[in-house]
Amino acid sequence: MARKRMVDPGIWQSEDFGKLSNLAKIVFIGLFSLADDEGRGRCNPVYLKSTLFPYNEDMRSADIEKALFEISSNMSVVFYSCDGNNYYSLLSWDTFQKIDKPTNSKIPDFDETDKEIRRIFVEGSPSDSRGFVPNKNIIKKKKNRIEKVFVPPTLEEVEKYVKEKKLKVIAKEFYDYFTTGNWIDAKGQAVKSWKQKILTWNSYATNDKTKAKASNMSNFEQREYNNLNNFYSN
């Protein structure tokens, strides 16, 4: 069983900690509450979700992954994989936690020289996190060129955008369609801007409704015309 850990009161005034979303703050505190005596622990999102939020049915593993990415970008934590397992190591552990008679960690220490160890949730490199979805678009530098990496939105972001723009698109249908398809459009191309894509969907939805309305009007006029023919034929 993990020992009791201390939360330094200064954490609330930390600018880096303040950059985290509310969920990421809770997950970060959860990381050192679950850490062993050397500040290491497992960072499998499914495990963290079930351990930190056992009664929250709305919580998704993707939400935990997103929080871990935020933490890796702002806090002194390194996330890495070894032998197919994902771990974390709190780099300032000894500064904030004083432990009497610590027990040796059973988790391998992070060693950049070890070829069997690979960093995950690396800032600016979402591909290393195996499909992890960060909370915002990431700008990364590559050979003196700035490349904007597409980052899928959350359902909440889609719903908010639809509401703000007063679109006709059903947010969940749009989100489920592209999430299931790994954000590949109907032409087999990767989506570069979800906002532009949802505007395209909206234009389709608007055009379909206009066509349907026009078709109904045409049928109505045809029925009126037929009724007049019947009237004159009598």
Side-chain angles (χ1 to χ4, degrees):
M1 181 179 294
R3 301 192 189 192
K4 294 181 180 179
R5 306 303 184 192
M6 291 185 59
V7 178
D8 191 308
I11 196 173
W12 308 110
Q13 280 71 48
S14 167
E15 292 185 6
D16 291 333
F17 185 74
K19 294 176 184 178
L20 301 179
S21 65
N22 289 336
L23 174 60
K25 290 176 180 176
I26 296 174
V27 173
F28 177 66
I29 293 174
L31 292 182
F32 63 76
S33 72
L34 296 175
D36 59 26
D37 288 352
E38 293 190 40
R40 303 173 203 161
R42 297 167 54 195
C43 70
N44 182 293
V46 176
Y47 162 74
L48 292 176
K49 172 183 173 294
S50 62
T51 304
L52 300 178
F53 305 96
Y55 307 112
N56 192 335
E57 297 181 355
D58 296 329
M59 185 67 64
R60 304 174 304 166
S61 298
D63 298 326
I64 304 298
E65 284 186 299
K66 188 181 301 183
L68 294 177
F69 186 90
E70 289 184 56
I71 293 168
S72 72
S73 301
N74 295 284
M75 308 305 293
S76 298
V77 185
V78 61
F79 296 92
Y80 56 100
S81 66
C82 181
D83 296 329
N85 297 308
N86 293 346
Y87 305 109
Y88 65 88
S89 179
L90 297 157
L91 303 181
S92 301
W93 180 253
D94 294 335
T95 302
F96 297 101
Q97 302 294 328
K98 305 301 180 183
I99 301 173
D100 294 328
K101 299 180 181 180
T103 301
N104 292 333
S105 178
K106 295 180 180 180
I107 294 175
D109 191 9
F110 174 71
D111 183 357
E112 289 185 318
T113 64
D114 190 335
K115 295 182 179 180
E116 299 299 322
I117 294 178
R118 181 177 64 89
R119 290 193 65 170
I120 58 176
F121 302 122
V122 181
E123 183 177 11
S125 181
S127 61
D128 286 346
S129 60
R130 297 184 298 175
F132 162 65
V133 181
N135 198 24
K136 57 184 178 181
N137 284 345
I138 302 167
I139 305 297
K140 67 178 182 180
K141 295 181 179 179
K142 185 177 182 181
K143 294 183 180 179
N144 298 323
R145 182 184 66 185
I146 296 179
E147 180 180 352
K148 194 171 185 179
V149 179
F150 170 73
V151 175
T154 63
L155 176 58
E156 292 74 16
E157 288 174 327
V158 174
E159 291 174 338
K160 181 180 179 181
Y161 188 73
V162 168
K163 184 176 181 180
E164 287 179 352
K165 297 296 183 181
K166 298 180 180 179
L167 305 179
K168 303 297 182 182
V169 176
I170 299 176
K172 192 172 188 309
E173 287 185 1
F174 174 85
Y175 179 80
D176 289 344
Y177 175 85
F178 282 102
T179 299
T180 302
N182 199 25
W183 292 91
I184 302 297
D185 63 20
K187 297 180 180 179
Q189 299 178 345
V191 174
K192 295 182 179 180
S193 170
W194 67 268
K195 290 184 178 180
Q196 183 61 48
K197 186 62 65 176
I198 201 171
L199 291 176
T200 302
W201 265 48
N202 186 68
S203 65
Y204 289 154
T206 303
N207 290 338
D208 288 344
K209 289 183 178 180
T210 300
K211 290 178 181 178
K213 183 176 180 180
S215 176
N216 290 335
M217 287 297 295
S218 176
N219 292 336
F220 175 77
E221 291 172 356
Q222 184 64 39
R223 287 196 301 271
E224 289 294 308
Y225 180 78
N226 290 337
N227 288 339
L228 287 175
N229 285 341
N230 292 335
F231 175 78
Y232 287 118
S233 63
N234 293 332

